[in-house]
Amino acid sequence: MRITIVGGGFSGVALAASLQRIAPDDARIHLVGVDRGFGGGVAYGEARPEHVLNVRARELGLDADDPEDFANWFNLGDRGRNAFLPRQLYGDYLRDRLHELLQAPGARVHAVRREAVAIERVDRGFAVRMDDGAAILGDTVVLAVGALPPPPLAGVGPRLAVHPSYIGWPWQEHAIERIDPDARVLVVGTGLTMADVVLTLHQRGHRARIDVLSRHGLLPAEHPEPPLAPVSLPPAILQVLAGHDLRELVRRIRALSNLVDWRALVDALRPHTQAFWQGLPERQRGQFLRHLRSWWEVARHRLPPQVAGHLRAMRGNGQLRILRGRLVRAGRADDCVSVLLRPRGASDVRHERYDMLLRATGLNTDVARTTHPLLAQLRESGMVRPDAHELGLDTTDALEVVDARGRVVPGLYCLGPLLRGRYWEITAVPELRVAARWLAQALVERASAPPAVQSAPALQSQRSPSSSPRPGPGS
């Protein structure tokens, strides 16, 4: 049993930890990831002191069977377990757990701190090739690469795209540090990434106004303080969930929100979301993505109270302005960034001048257009293809990847946010750790099964990632 896990972030570490517990003694598991951020990934490896988790500490354990492990590792009391702690601490926790995993007696997990740039089929297995030319041979490969690099921002001209006044990824080294405190800044995106960017600028003493732009101009909702008591969904809503009726679900949730805090309702929906999404007809999935996605995102992925308070204060004193509309064009003109904006509902465009333009549009899982070296190689070779709505990779119920001709690639699996097309809710710790546990069990069973029955059963018939133990609020 030779398994190569490509991705050194949360999903890769969670899968490696699950395999260490249940894989046979002769198993050999390689965890591959770039040295920078290894064990923490982008989400936790590049966090700054002012960035805080948007999940309460009590819900963030690496193991699905021990959700309070992070809180226990940090020796938190009752108050601390309900707090939103710095993301850097969570990165430290993941790296510590990975170190224990690698140093454990009889460890079957081995770290490879290199970038995987290609995967090729050889005999009955795979060769995962590194950026230094070396290759790892194995029977099974799991793509756990996390989110993909952000694509170019539509409307940005070629001259601006390579100019220092445009920042396509705010967490690239020293990107925000080079912004002058008096610079006029436009941030495209109003989600959680924007909140981190604005908070960092504020912490660095930014004085000029910051404009943030998105189609709807919606900011993420705020987590309640203190935490809300869990609620049970009434039978009428459970019936609608089982019937996969999107329109009726929205109607009933709106009606019930007059009686119950809507945030508690969204939390109560969480254990049902994956199964509901899987049962939705493709047409209704498309309708959700076109009309409801932005509203779901701000309700589901919320801001910690302390971050929401900072943004509220900045809006109150005029330093932060929210714009509803679309970026039509942006380019260099004289000594500034010249921007054309179309306000929402307007037919005319408006001209604005800024010193800096930042892209902060959040999670990217667009396989069809990604520049990620490994995913681009797999896409171009025909070994993978995007799902129907281009939310990630096309896979089977057993998480095996489907190639460009619609055939299963035996032994090539996917784990993490690239499964959004299949599960939609698969970007947060509570869902990811359950999916990692399920996949680890499936891989071990596959390796020990007779050849005639080696294909994994449908995920829904097993302990699905949607059946995580009582998830907590937030993302």
Side-chain angles (χ1 to χ4, degrees):
M1 183 179 183
R2 300 173 301 168
I3 300 174
T4 306
I5 304 169
V6 181
F10 179 89
S11 293
V13 174
L15 178 59
S18 293
L19 286 169
Q20 173 81 328
R21 287 190 292 270
I22 65 174
D25 291 342
D26 61 350
R28 190 164 182 84
I29 301 154
H30 288 98
L31 181 63
V32 179
V34 294
D35 190 51
R36 182 182 177 186
F38 191 83
V42 173
Y44 310 111
E46 299 182 7
R48 298 168 186 246
E50 64 270 14
H51 297 162
V52 296
L53 298 156
N54 64 320
V55 182
R56 300 181 193 275
R58 67 169 187 256
E59 297 289 348
L60 285 170
L62 181 64
D63 184 355
D65 294 321
D66 190 9
E68 297 211 14
D69 182 57
F70 171 60
N72 294 334
W73 174 83
F74 205 52
N75 293 318
L76 296 175
D78 290 341
R79 182 177 179 183
R81 289 171 187 270
N82 283 323
F84 299 91
L85 299 183
R87 284 216 298 270
Q88 284 185 337
L89 289 179
Y90 196 65
D92 292 342
Y93 161 74
L94 291 179
R95 285 185 287 270
D96 183 72
R97 286 294 182 251
L98 177 59
H99 177 76
E100 292 178 353
L101 186 67
L102 299 174
Q103 300 301 318
R108 296 179 287 284
V109 178
H110 308 273
V112 180
R113 297 173 182 267
R114 305 293 310 187
E115 182 180 11
V117 296
I119 297 175
E120 304 163 3
R121 302 186 74 166
V122 292
D123 299 327
R124 295 186 178 182
F126 301 90
V128 180
R129 300 202 175 276
M130 306 295 115
D131 55 0
D132 62 353
I136 300 173
L137 300 178
D139 314 302
T140 302
V141 174
V142 179
L143 298 172
V145 298
L148 303 176
L153 190 61
V156 172
R159 183 180 168 204
L160 177 60
V162 296
H163 194 273
S165 57
Y166 171 67
I167 298 177
W169 177 238
W171 312 128
Q172 61 193 20
E173 194 170 6
H174 304 307
I176 290 187
E177 282 79 355
R178 70 171 184 255
I179 299 177
D180 188 275
D182 294 311
R184 299 161 296 177
V185 176
L186 174 64
V187 180
V188 177
T190 56
L192 296 176
T193 303
M194 174 281 300
D196 284 342
V197 168
V198 170
L199 192 60
T200 294
L201 288 172
H202 179 73
Q203 291 292 325
R204 294 190 67 252
H206 197 83
R207 294 184 290 267
R209 191 182 68 200
I210 302 167
D211 287 350
V212 299
L213 169 74
S214 71
R215 190 159 58 101
H216 296 285
L218 297 173
L219 294 184
E222 181 178 347
H223 274 295
E225 197 65 78
L228 296 172
V231 300
S232 298
L233 296 175
I237 289 184
L238 294 176
Q239 183 178 2
V240 172
L241 286 167
H244 306 288
D245 188 333
L246 179 61
R247 183 184 296 273
E248 184 63 15
L249 177 64
V250 172
R251 189 185 72 81
R252 289 183 179 270
I253 289 294
R254 282 177 174 168
L256 190 58
S257 65
N258 293 321
L259 304 173
V260 180
D261 191 307
W262 65 264
R263 293 169 295 188
L265 292 176
V266 170
D267 296 341
L269 283 173
R270 187 167 179 175
H272 306 277
T273 305
Q274 289 182 347
F276 180 73
W277 176 263
Q278 287 180 291
L280 276 183
E282 291 296 333
R283 181 179 61 83
Q284 289 196 44
R285 291 188 189 187
Q287 290 173 339
F288 172 86
L289 293 171
R290 287 191 301 273
H291 304 299
L292 296 175
R293 179 177 183 170
S294 296
W295 302 93
W296 172 257
E297 295 281 6
V298 299
R300 168 70 179 79
H301 302 290
R302 302 178 211 144
L303 290 171
Q306 61 265 49
V307 176
H310 277 297
L311 298 184
R312 197 159 43 245
M314 292 178 69
R315 293 184 71 183
N317 63 27
Q319 191 180 11
L320 179 64
R321 183 172 66 163
I322 311 300
L323 305 178
R324 294 197 309 155
R326 185 170 65 88
L327 177 70
V328 176
R329 187 183 307 160
R332 286 295 301 174
D334 300 325
D335 60 346
C336 71
V337 178
S338 178
V339 172
L340 291 179
L341 305 175
R342 176 172 284 115
R344 185 170 178 81
S347 57
D348 297 332
V349 297
R350 190 174 82 208
H351 178 253
E352 298 278 359
R353 296 164 66 92
Y354 294 95
D355 299 305
M356 297 293 300
L357 174 62
L358 278 76
R359 182 192 185 281
T361 50
L363 183 73
N364 175 46
T365 53
D366 186 356
V367 174
R369 283 166 282 276
T370 187
T371 58
H372 187 283
L374 177 60
L375 267 297
Q377 178 266 326
L378 291 172
R379 181 193 63 213
E380 291 162 9
S381 69
M383 197 179 294
V384 304
R385 72 177 184 184
D387 63 80
H389 295 284
E390 297 187 346
L391 294 170
L393 286 175
D394 193 7
T395 67
T396 68
D397 291 339
L399 307 190
E400 283 185 298
V401 169
V402 175
D403 69 15
R405 297 176 63 181
R407 303 170 303 185
V408 175
V409 183
L412 182 61
Y413 294 82
C414 180
L415 179 66
L418 293 183
L419 292 172
R420 282 207 298 175
R422 176 158 294 278
Y423 294 118
W424 180 243
E425 285 291 320
I426 192 68
T427 62
V429 166
E431 286 81 17
L432 290 172
R433 65 191 177 200
V434 175
R437 179 181 61 186
W438 182 91
L439 182 56
Q441 186 64 46
L443 294 178
V444 171
E445 291 175 358
R446 176 181 181 269
S448 59
V453 293
Q454 274 196 348
S455 60
L459 188 58
Q460 296 95 320
S461 66
Q462 297 288 314
R463 186 178 176 87
S464 162
S466 66
S467 62
S468 82
R470 188 185 61 80
S475 58

